[in-house]
């Protein structure tokens, strides 16, 4: 067993902090931390996942870049010492730039997006959703390429409520993110052309 594997195994046995995570040797995998538990992320994104992510990033940059910084992975969202996630996309208002450091976003972004893949469906709708809500991410989008939908959740007190399920040519808007305005079908257009 080599040194890197021993170090990774030792870290997995104890409550993991951001500092421990950041000091891990690069083993070619991506990890997240949930309440001190290190979890390997799903294998690399599929072509449709990347296409949807790229299209959404482009659209948000066109309409929101003057008010928000928009990031995509690998980029850490450090919600606490023992909760570090890498959403598929995140937006943070320019008035909150003090949360953006060289390490990542140190606090809750204004909005995060998870694009469901077969290996992430349960996690995106479970532990990730709970963690984002617990730390005050105001808006959470779940994009499902199978159903070609975008679920918009907003934080109400300490839990997310489904505000809208967008599909087809529904226009995606948000009272919390006024720069957002596009038809949900636009983010799936390239994927549909390739099928």
């Amino acid at each position: 067993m080599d040194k890197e594997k021993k170090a990774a195994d030792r870290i997995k046995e104890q409550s993991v902090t951001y500092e421990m995570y950041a000091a891990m040797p690069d083993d070619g995998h991506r990890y997240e931390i949930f309440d001190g538990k290190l979890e390997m992320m799903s294998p690399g994104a599929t072509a449709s996942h990347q296409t949807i992510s790229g299209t959404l990033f482009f659209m948000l940059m066109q309409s929101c870049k003057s008010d928000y910084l928009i990031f995509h992975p690998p980029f850490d969202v450090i919600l606490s010492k023992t909760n570090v996630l890498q959403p598929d996309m995140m937006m943070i208002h320019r008035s909150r730039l003090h949360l953006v450091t060289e390490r990542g976003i140190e606090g809750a972004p204004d909005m995060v997006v998870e694009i469901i893949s077969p290996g992430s469906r349960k996690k995106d709708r479970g532990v990730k959703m709970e963690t984002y809500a617990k730390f005050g991410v105001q808006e959470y989008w779940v994009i499902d390429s199978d159903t070609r939908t975008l679920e918009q959740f907003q934080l109400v007190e300490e839990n997310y409520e489904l505000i809208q399920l967008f599909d087809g040519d529904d226009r995606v808007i948000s009272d919390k993110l006024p720069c957002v305005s596009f038809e949900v079908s636009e983010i799936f257009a390239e994927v549909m052309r390739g099928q």
Side-chain angles (χ1 to χ4, degrees):
M1 187 181 286
D2 65 353
K3 270 192 214 179
E4 288 180 5
K5 175 109 174 77
K6 284 181 182 177
D9 288 344
R10 195 170 50 252
I11 286 173
K12 290 176 188 175
E13 294 169 4
Q14 53 187 309
S15 184
V16 178
T17 65
Y18 174 80
E19 289 72 22
M20 295 164 75
Y21 159 82
M24 285 175 52
D26 185 358
D27 64 0
H29 299 285
R30 290 178 38 219
Y31 296 90
E32 294 178 305
I33 307 171
F34 296 94
D35 290 327
K37 184 179 176 195
L38 187 69
E39 294 191 18
M40 188 184 318
M41 294 179 70
S42 298
T46 63
S48 61
H49 184 287
Q50 286 294 89
T51 302
I52 291 165
S53 178
T55 302
L56 179 61
F57 183 78
F58 178 75
M59 290 189 316
L60 291 174
M61 285 295 288
Q62 285 184 311
S63 61
C64 296
K65 72 178 178 184
S66 62
D67 295 323
Y68 293 87
L69 289 180
I70 304 161
F71 297 97
H72 53 85
F75 196 70
D76 290 329
V77 173
I78 306 163
L79 297 168
S80 74
K81 267 184 94 147
T82 57
N83 286 281
V84 181
L85 282 68
Q86 288 194 14
D88 290 319
M89 197 165 305
M90 62 228 85
M91 290 175 52
I92 188 158
H93 195 272
R94 290 183 180 274
S95 66
R96 303 174 67 230
L97 285 181
H98 63 281
L99 297 178
V100 181
T101 70
E102 288 303 310
R103 297 185 339 165
I105 296 175
E106 300 196 39
D110 294 279
M111 188 267 285
V112 295
V113 177
E114 293 291 355
I115 301 167
I116 290 178
S117 58
S120 74
R121 184 173 300 278
K122 187 174 178 181
K123 187 181 282 187
D124 291 342
R125 293 184 187 280
V127 67
K128 279 193 171 187
M129 180 180 275
E130 292 166 11
T131 303
Y132 293 138
K134 175 180 173 183
F135 288 97
V137 175
Q138 293 298 304
E139 188 152 327
Y140 178 48
W141 292 0
V142 176
I143 297 175
D144 190 326
S145 60
D146 289 342
T147 60
R148 294 192 175 95
T149 58
L150 185 155
E151 293 171 85
Q152 178 189 49
F153 296 90
Q154 289 183 352
L155 198 59
V156 177
E157 294 180 17
E158 297 176 9
N159 297 299
Y160 282 125
E161 281 188 17
L162 178 62
I163 300 301
Q164 185 71 42
L165 173 65
F166 298 100
D167 67 354
D169 291 328
D170 291 345
R171 182 155 293 279
V172 179
I173 57 170
S174 169
D175 60 340
K176 295 188 182 293
L177 307 163
C179 61
V180 170
S181 180
F182 60 89
E183 290 180 7
V184 74
S185 59
E186 293 177 70
I187 62 175
F188 301 110
E190 282 300 315
V191 172
M192 292 170 69
R193 268 195 278 275
Q195 293 179 345

